[in-house]
Amino acid sequence: MQQNLLETPIEYLKGVGPNRGTLLRKELGIHKYGDLLNFYPNRYIDRTRYYKINELQNNVAEVQIIGKIVNIKTVEFGKNQKRLVATFVDDTGQMELVWFQGHKWIRESLKLNEICVIFGKCTSFGNTFNMAHPEIELMSEHEKSLRSAMQPVYPSTETLANRGISNRVINKMMQQLFLETQAKFSETLPDYLTSELKLIPKNAALFNIHFPKSADALAKAQYRLKFEELFYIQLQLITKNLIRKHKIKGHPFTKVGEYFNDFYQNHLPFELTNAQKRVIKEIRIDMGSNAQMNRLLQGDVGSGKTIVALMSMLIALDNGFQSCLMAPTEILANQHFNGLTELSKELNINIKILTGSTKTAERKIIHEELENGSLHILIGTHALLEDKVKFQNLGLAVIDEQHRFGVEQRSKLWKKNEIPPHILVMTATPIPRTLAMSLYGDLDISVIDELPPGRKPIQTVHRFDSNRLKVWKFIRDEIAIGRQIYIVYPLIEESKTMDLKDLMDGYESISRDFPLPQYAISILHGKMKPADKDAEMKRFAEGKTNIMVATTVIEVGVNIPNASVMIIESAERFGLSQLHQLRGRVGRGAEQSYCILMTSHKLSADSKTRMETMTRTNDGFEIAEVDLKLRGPGDMMGTQQSGVLNLQIADIVRDRDILALARNYALKILKEDAPMQKPKNAILRAVYIELTKKKNIWNYIS
């Protein structure tokens, strides 16, 4: 019966009504009783202590005081602005209560000369303390309410505060909800799980998250609810993966034939690392089964993902299928095209590139060759997704830098064939294990965790602007022995004009310090036309210029082995993963390479941590873990996936141990009983079905 009650629209709860109901829906996404129940506090305040007015200090966290209001007046200030001011007294002194909004409504609700409890933050103005927009409760009510020593504070919005839905009002609604439901809620985890993990019952967890009797009761409630949330997400992700393997048939690539073997035996430019061999084996097993491959290939900058992609494509070709490779930018698509063409030049295969700037005549040829099957590998940008692009038989789709493509774009590639192609997603952005388990829990994950032999680790140093002369001398020495240099300036969307000015000022001062004809400088930024960008890139690639001054346009995938120094200006304005990506542009040849982080002397604690991490390690995964701690999961994946996981109580950074535990239990249970049909898993199955009805996993992963 409780489950049905939880489906009741929120306006039917006593004290809510249609107006508040509309606000709760719009501002907090609370549509029904169940949503309110799962609306958890984001912090708690100790409400055991009452202060006296003469004990107050400026800006102490929230305090509560017992006293009475003796006077109310409206005071005008500024142009046509008013505030409501009440004088509040206790036996030690007096203070002012102030409201800037909702005067009429508040004035009507205030009672003069009655003992009440006020609660809020204090500031002093002259010799008088004041409290803005306090919570006020008559003493008689205060003593009756279902209160606890730990007072919950719920997330709110400005609109709610202005419309009188204060934290106290939400608290009252919560009390009403527990009264109406008699605090009886269905258990959502099987007995064997709660007893094995010593988890408190669901009823107790929900009561203690909203009305904790003690810090210990609160901790147990939080642990129970966090585990449950992460466990059901993992259950959905893993089930999705199992169903896909079972249901979505792939093309079985049963043979490894002459294209692959000829390349492997006769044309490999270097010995594969053990990590590359392991990953190719994982891909061969996937593509050889009847199920569609859906694999994420993670490898740090320069670890040799491209050759793995090519060898996977050769397996497709050996089985009579076409492949495509989709990259997020033209620069990157061109680079893949040049790289793959160079690698396969002895193999007699047809590779073409399709981007926004491909000429109409060339497009026509590509479309024809795709349909008649004579085009083996097509590389391109979003242009590959156009309806006109039809393959004869697409067997493998490789997607580079996945986080720049949405889920819909991936599914467009799927629909190019009756049987969906095998999918290999590649990324040079190392994703911390905790995030990978949640974001890509439905993909199988391969990692290339070693660099090709002969690569020397890049030496990274942090220098302040005051050391610039020494840095410039170092650059001259490097150029003298034939090396090339990148100097990168930050580009942050909101302040493009200011950043462009930084870049142009930088370019001018570098031109003065490195004058023609002895030195030649290229410049590259987002405002340039594509043709000009390509021309500048080409001059640098051919060694005609010594220094490339650029914005972060060059972050992904530019490959110039002779460039040995990366200087990052205002490095404190970059995130860790960006710094690591930029550093990866050098160190591509056999020479020793350097990355110099230039900053001002004024650094925040986070900036110091970033500089320290960069100079200490070259390990992308370690850097990603630090980045995740500093920035939280929302920012990690770039704008398309901010707020990556819409979790109600768990936090995948702080609760990574609970996440790992939840995933292990989900795997163990599904391994033993995938359809969840054993009697002991009846609860799991029921909750799982309910969840998938209401909340597709993609609601969690935006």
Side-chain angles (χ1 to χ4, degrees):
M1 102 105 189
Q2 281 330 105
Q3 279 323 96
N4 300 347
L5 195 53
L6 292 180
E7 295 295 319
T8 312
I10 195 67
E11 51 268 31
Y12 291 108
L13 185 70
K14 190 177 165 200
V16 177
N19 291 347
R20 282 182 169 177
T22 307
L23 272 175
L24 290 174
R25 278 196 169 82
K26 206 164 113 205
E27 296 292 311
L28 299 173
I30 294 175
H31 296 267
K32 44 186 193 250
Y33 282 22
D35 298 330
L36 182 62
L37 181 66
N38 295 319
F39 182 61
Y40 302 128
N42 54 4
R43 61 193 180 95
Y44 298 83
I45 296 165
D46 182 0
R47 294 286 288 255
T48 50
R49 172 161 185 203
Y50 297 91
Y51 285 75
K52 294 284 186 191
I53 291 175
N54 68 355
E55 294 176 319
L56 295 179
Q57 292 168 1
N58 214 356
N59 272 333
V60 176
E62 290 101 332
V63 293
Q64 55 186 355
I65 310 164
I66 302 172
K68 58 187 176 188
I69 293 172
V70 292
N71 176 28
I72 306 170
K73 61 183 177 193
T74 304
V75 179
E76 293 199 5
F77 70 101
K79 203 175 170 189
N80 302 332
Q81 288 182 298
K82 293 178 179 175
R83 59 176 177 235
L84 190 64
V85 179
T87 309
F88 181 82
V89 301
D90 71 359
D91 52 5
T92 70
Q94 69 172 43
M95 62 185 292
E96 290 188 336
L97 310 181
V98 188
W99 292 268
F100 298 98
Q101 280 128 346
H103 298 182
K104 184 173 175 294
W105 173 80
I106 289 163
R107 195 165 197 144
E108 285 166 8
S109 66
L110 295 178
K111 303 260 191 301
L112 282 174
N113 296 314
E114 292 208 28
I115 299 288
C116 59
V117 178
I118 62 165
F119 175 77
K121 251 191 174 156
C122 281
T123 46
S124 66
F125 197 71
N127 296 330
T128 316
F129 273 96
N130 61 37
M131 189 183 279
H133 289 260
E135 287 183 18
I136 301 183
E137 201 173 19
L138 288 174
M139 195 63 188
S140 51
E141 290 292 311
H142 184 73
E143 285 171 336
K144 275 198 311 223
S145 64
L146 174 61
R147 275 170 53 259
S148 57
M150 310 281 295
Q151 189 80 43
V153 179
Y154 292 92
S156 186
T157 67
E158 207 174 323
T159 309
L160 290 178
N162 292 346
R163 300 286 291 275
I165 300 185
S166 61
N167 193 57
R168 200 174 114 251
V169 170
I170 291 184
N171 211 315
K172 277 224 149 97
M173 289 176 188
M174 208 59 87
Q175 294 180 29
Q176 186 57 34
L177 178 72
F178 273 75
L179 283 172
E180 286 189 27
T181 53
Q182 296 167 350
K184 290 197 175 91
F185 306 107
S186 319
E187 184 49 73
T188 43
L189 289 173
D191 292 347
Y192 69 88
L193 209 52
T194 50
S195 61
E196 198 172 319
L197 291 166
K198 301 190 174 52
L199 300 174
I200 63 171
K202 180 75 176 240
N203 274 342
L206 286 169
F207 186 81
N208 281 301
I209 203 84
H210 293 295
F211 312 106
K213 286 283 170 268
S214 66
D216 181 53
L218 175 63
K220 287 187 167 133
Q222 286 172 325
Y223 189 88
R224 150 76 209 224
L225 294 169
K226 284 175 177 184
F227 176 85
E228 178 179 332
E229 179 168 45
L230 294 168
F231 173 76
Y232 276 109
I233 289 178
Q234 292 303 324
L235 209 60
Q236 289 187 68
L237 281 167
I238 297 161
T239 304
K240 193 166 166 269
N241 195 359
L242 291 172
I243 289 172
R244 204 195 58 246
K245 286 186 171 166
H246 188 69
K247 244 195 183 153
I248 301 183
K249 296 287 174 250
H251 303 285
F253 293 167
T254 47
K255 67 173 197 249
V256 174
E258 68 190 71
Y259 281 113
F260 183 92
N261 290 328
D262 177 30
F263 179 74
Y264 186 66
Q265 284 151 14
N266 309 318
H267 306 296
L268 259 186
F270 47 76
E271 176 72 19
L272 293 180
T273 63
N274 288 330
Q276 285 171 315
K277 288 179 184 164
R278 182 187 71 240
V279 168
I280 290 169
K281 190 173 171 191
E282 288 167 351
I283 291 170
R284 272 174 56 176
I285 291 168
D286 273 3
M287 297 200 302
S289 76
N290 280 325
Q292 180 211 16
M293 169 170 83
N294 228 7
R295 192 167 276 282
L296 174 70
L297 173 59
Q298 282 185 267
D300 222 332
V301 180
S303 60
K305 295 182 294 295
T306 313
I307 207 155
V308 170
L310 174 65
M311 293 175 80
S312 309
M313 291 170 168
L314 296 178
I315 296 177
L317 203 49
D318 279 333
N319 287 273
F321 283 90
Q322 295 163 305
S323 300
C324 69
L325 189 160
M326 188 161 85
T329 63
E330 286 204 17
I331 288 184
L332 202 49
N334 276 309
Q335 197 169 304
H336 278 304
F337 175 67
N338 297 334
L340 292 176
T341 309
E342 175 60 30
L343 281 169
S344 60
K345 58 179 190 273
E346 309 288 335
L347 292 179
N348 187 25
I349 56 179
N350 185 1
I351 303 182
K352 288 210 161 70
I353 181 166
L354 177 66
T355 67
S357 41
T358 305
K359 305 272 186 292
T360 314
E362 181 61 15
R363 276 171 190 266
K364 231 178 131 191
I365 298 170
I366 289 175
H367 292 157
E368 279 168 18
E369 290 187 353
L370 267 188
E371 291 197 49
N372 67 30
S374 61
L375 179 54
H376 302 129
I377 295 173
L378 179 61
I379 291 161
T381 53
H382 293 79
L384 298 187
L385 301 173
E386 291 165 7
D387 294 337
K388 289 195 198 76
V389 179
K390 293 191 172 65
F391 293 82
Q392 186 188 49
N393 53 2
L394 179 62
L396 171 67
V398 181
I399 301 173
D400 195 18
E401 290 304 331
Q402 143 77 18
H403 60 278
R404 302 190 180 203
F405 294 109
V407 178
E408 294 110 80
Q409 290 167 314
R410 262 195 327 194
S411 66
K412 270 192 177 167
L413 267 181
W414 280 39
K415 296 188 179 110
K416 299 263 178 201
N417 264 27
E418 270 174 42
I419 294 184
H422 294 295
I423 303 269
L424 181 66
V425 171
M426 302 199 298
T427 178
T429 310
I431 300 157
R433 281 205 49 222
T434 41
L435 206 52
M437 278 195 285
S438 309
L439 262 185
Y440 298 115
D442 63 321
L443 297 181
D444 297 307
I445 296 179
S446 291
V447 178
I448 304 182
D449 47 13
E450 54 182 311
L451 290 178
R455 288 267 170 100
K456 296 193 176 84
I458 300 163
Q459 282 186 18
T460 304
V461 292
H462 171 210
R463 295 286 179 262
F464 294 110
D465 291 335
S466 49
N467 301 95
R468 191 169 295 278
L469 289 174
K470 282 187 180 163
V471 173
W472 270 194
K473 179 187 180 309
F474 175 70
I475 295 181
R476 289 193 184 92
D477 295 345
E478 283 290 298
I479 293 174
I481 54 172
R483 306 273 175 268
Q484 287 168 289
I485 318 292
Y486 289 110
I487 302 180
V488 176
Y489 285 81
L491 184 62
I492 294 166
E493 292 299 318
E494 300 88 272
S495 55
K496 273 200 169 146
T497 45
M498 193 180 94
D499 284 327
L500 206 59
K501 182 180 173 307
D502 281 358
L503 177 81
M504 298 321 281
D505 290 352
Y507 176 65
E508 279 167 26
S509 78
I510 291 162
S511 303
R512 281 196 298 276
D513 292 337
F514 295 88
L516 285 160
Q518 197 181 347
Y519 301 100
I521 302 173
S522 286
I523 185 164
L524 194 65
H525 58 79
K527 289 253 164 71
M528 291 163 66
K529 296 193 173 86
D532 296 344
K533 277 190 204 166
D534 291 342
E536 283 296 281
M537 222 36 246
K538 198 166 172 229
R539 284 176 59 202
F540 190 63
E542 289 167 357
K544 291 180 181 157
T545 56
N546 318 94
I547 299 174
M548 162 71 79
V549 178
T551 56
T552 46
V553 178
I554 61 159
E555 180 188 340
V556 174
V558 178
N559 188 9
I560 294 168
N562 190 44
S564 65
V565 183
M566 165 63 71
I567 294 177
I568 303 174
E569 293 285 353
S570 307
E572 70 271 26
R573 286 175 60 190
F574 291 89
L576 256 181
S577 60
Q578 235 185 345
L579 290 171
H580 180 62
Q581 286 285 333
L582 286 168
R583 170 165 65 185
R585 300 296 115 234
V586 295
R588 302 199 147 226
E591 310 308 327
Q592 178 62 59
S593 289
Y594 305 89
C595 174
I596 303 173
L597 307 169
M598 303 292 295
T599 72
S600 63
H601 276 276
K602 278 205 294 231
L603 290 182
S604 68
D606 279 3
S607 297
K608 283 181 183 151
T609 305
R610 291 201 290 269
M611 300 308 126
E612 185 275 323
T613 306
M614 285 292 293
T615 50
R616 178 174 51 80
T617 179
N618 279 309
D619 178 347
F621 287 93
E622 191 181 334
I623 287 167
E625 290 286 353
V626 178
D627 201 23
L628 185 59
K629 276 190 192 121
L630 287 178
R631 294 203 290 161
D635 303 332
M636 282 286 297
M637 308 311 296
T639 46
Q640 291 90 328
Q641 309 211 0
S642 57
V644 176
L645 288 172
N646 301 323
L647 297 173
Q648 284 172 311
I649 189 164
D651 173 316
I652 53 177
V653 185
R654 286 199 294 272
D655 303 322
R656 50 202 278 193
D657 297 350
I658 306 180
L659 172 65
L661 186 74
R663 186 169 174 85
N664 288 341
Y665 269 94
L667 277 166
K668 197 164 109 182
I669 289 165
L670 291 172
K671 207 169 173 180
E672 183 193 298
D673 179 22
M676 298 178 263
Q677 272 170 338
K678 292 187 174 171
K680 67 173 187 176
N681 290 328
I683 282 185
L684 284 186
R685 189 179 166 80
V687 174
Y688 177 81
I689 289 169
E690 217 30 57
L691 270 179
T692 41
K693 249 193 268 171
K694 283 189 215 144
K695 236 192 193 167
N696 184 306
I697 189 70
W698 299 116
N699 295 16
Y700 281 116
I701 298 175
S702 49

